[in-house]
Amino acid sequence: MLSAAVMDSVFSLFLIILVGVYAARKQIITAELNEGLVNLLIQIVLPCMVLSSFTYSYDQSIKAEVVNTFYYSLSAYIFMILISYLLLIPCRSNKKTVLQFANSFPNTGYIGIPVLSSLYGIEGTVYGSVFNLFFVVFVWTYGVFVYRGSLDKSRLKQDIKKTFLNPSVLAVVLGIMIMVLEIQLPNALLVTIRNIGNITTPLSMLIIGVILAGAKISAHTKDWTLYYGSVCKLLLIPLLIYIAATFTGVESKALNSVIIMTAMPASAMTAIFAHNFQKEADYAAVVVSISTLASLATIPVLLQLIL
C-alpha cells in the first residue's frame, strides 16, 4: 500500500497541473511563453536535475542498481515497441503511426522523473535519468523511423549527432562519470545545479497544464482509436511489463522505477513529430492530452499495484 505521504506527493503534482490550466485560461502563461518554458525545461532545468541526482554519495548497491537499470530500461523499450505493435494491429492509416509512437515513448521528462522523485527521492531520479537516456536514443532513431516509414540514410548521421548531443544524455554521461570517479564539484557550482534542478517538477507540471488547456479534445471524442490507444498505453502495456517482471523474481526500486516509467502518458514528442512529419498533427495533440488526463486516474492505481 502507498503511504499517505507518497499519495500526497503524487496528487500534489496533479494539483500543479490544474494551476497550469488556470494560468493558461487566464493568459498568464501564453502559448509563446509556454514554448519558452518547454525549451528552458529541456535545455537547462531537466539536465541540471539529472546531473545533480548523480552528485550525492551512494553506496555500492545503488551504483550496481544503476548498471541494472540500463538492462531494465533497454528491455522495457523493446517490450513497449513489440507489445504496442501487436495491440495496434486493428488500427489503420496514419493514426496507427501516431499511436505506435505514443505507446512506445512515455512522458519521461515532464511527468516520469517528477513522479519518481516524489516516490524515491534522488535515488528515483537517478534511475529515471537512465531510463530517459534510452528515451532520447530511441526517439531519434526508432521514433523517427516510425513517422518517416523508412530509414533515411542521408539524415542518419544528423539524427545520431542530435541524440548524443542532447542535454539530458550529456547530463547522464557526465553524472555517471562523477558518481563512478567520486568527483567533488565546487560547492557553489553544486548548489547552483541543484537549485536549478529543483524547479523541474513544478515547471513540468505547469507546462502539462498549459498543454491540456489548449487541447481541442471535442473534435475527436467519437474516435474509438483514441480511447483504445490510451487503454493500451496506460494500462495494458505497463501491466504486461509488470507481469513479465514478476517472473524474473527481482524486487528493487530500480526495476519498479522502470515499470512506473512505462505507465506514464504519451510523450509530448508524439505531437511535435506528428506536426513535423505532417501526419495527423491535431489527432496526435489530442492523444497526448487524453492520455495525460487519463493518467491522473491510472497512475495512482498502478502505483498501488507496483509498490
Side-chain angles (χ1 to χ4, degrees):
M1 296 292 289
L2 292 177
S3 68
V6 170
M7 289 300 294
D8 286 344
S9 296
V10 172
F11 280 113
S12 173
L13 301 180
F14 299 145
L15 291 176
I16 299 174
I17 289 176
L18 295 180
V19 174
V21 172
Y22 174 83
R25 294 281 170 82
K26 294 295 184 179
Q27 290 295 300
I28 297 171
I29 302 179
T30 63
E32 293 75 16
L33 176 56
N34 197 53
E35 185 176 346
L37 292 177
V38 170
N39 288 329
L40 177 66
L41 176 70
I42 294 174
Q43 301 295 329
I44 299 175
V45 177
L46 183 58
C48 281
M49 182 183 187
V50 169
L51 182 59
S52 68
S53 66
F54 286 94
T55 61
Y56 294 86
S57 297
Y58 296 105
D59 58 35
Q60 290 301 316
S61 63
I62 293 180
K63 291 180 180 180
E65 283 295 84
V66 171
V67 175
N68 290 334
T69 306
F70 278 86
Y71 300 116
Y72 300 151
S73 300
L74 177 60
S75 300
Y77 269 101
I78 293 173
F79 264 93
M80 284 190 291
I81 290 169
L82 293 178
I83 294 171
S84 176
Y85 178 82
L86 294 174
L87 291 174
L88 293 177
I89 289 176
C91 302
R92 295 288 183 270
S93 71
N94 286 334
K95 291 182 178 179
K96 181 176 182 178
T97 298
V98 172
L99 292 176
Q100 177 64 26
F101 186 99
N103 290 349
S104 303
F105 296 100
N107 194 324
T108 57
Y110 296 2
I111 301 182
I113 290 179
V115 167
L116 290 182
S117 178
S118 297
L119 294 171
Y120 297 134
I122 56 173
E123 184 180 348
T125 301
V126 169
Y127 302 142
S129 300
V130 173
F131 187 90
N132 190 58
L133 183 151
F134 282 91
F135 171 91
V136 176
V137 170
F138 273 90
V139 83
W140 289 109
T141 50
Y142 176 73
V144 170
F145 171 79
V146 167
Y147 270 110
R148 282 188 186 149
S150 61
L151 185 64
D152 187 346
K153 295 182 180 179
S154 64
R155 299 191 59 176
L156 184 60
K157 184 177 180 180
Q158 179 183 348
D159 291 338
I160 292 176
K161 182 179 179 181
K162 186 178 294 186
T163 296
F164 289 101
L165 291 181
N166 182 280
S168 292
V169 171
L170 294 176
V172 172
V173 173
L174 183 58
I176 290 175
M177 290 175 60
I178 290 173
M179 183 175 68
V180 172
L181 300 177
E182 298 184 354
I183 298 173
Q184 297 296 320
L185 298 179
N187 191 58
L189 176 60
L190 189 58
V191 171
T192 300
I193 293 172
R194 288 178 179 173
N195 284 341
I196 294 175
N198 285 340
I199 69 173
T200 299
T201 298
L203 181 59
S204 298
M205 298 302 105
L206 288 174
I207 290 170
I208 287 295
V210 175
I211 292 173
L212 289 178
K216 298 178 181 179
I217 298 174
S218 59
H220 297 272
T221 53
K222 295 183 180 180
D223 192 334
W224 69 273
T225 62
L226 189 65
Y227 306 107
Y228 178 67
S230 293
V231 170
C232 291
K233 174 75 200 74
L234 298 172
L235 293 174
L236 295 180
I237 292 176
L239 282 174
L240 289 172
I241 291 176
Y242 169 72
I243 292 170
T246 59
F247 286 102
T248 65
V250 176
E251 293 184 7
S252 69
K253 289 182 180 180
L255 182 56
N256 284 349
S257 295
V258 169
I259 297 171
I260 290 168
M261 282 294 223
T262 67
M264 295 299 110
S267 165
M269 293 297 287
T270 305
I272 294 171
F273 272 33
H275 175 76
N276 290 343
F277 290 101
Q278 298 181 343
K279 290 188 177 182
E280 298 283 356
D282 289 343
Y283 174 79
V286 175
V287 166
V288 173
S289 300
I290 285 291
S291 68
T292 302
L293 277 172
S295 73
L296 304 185
T298 59
I299 289 175
V301 172
L302 286 169
L303 288 180
Q304 291 278 6
L305 174 66
I306 295 169
L307 300 183

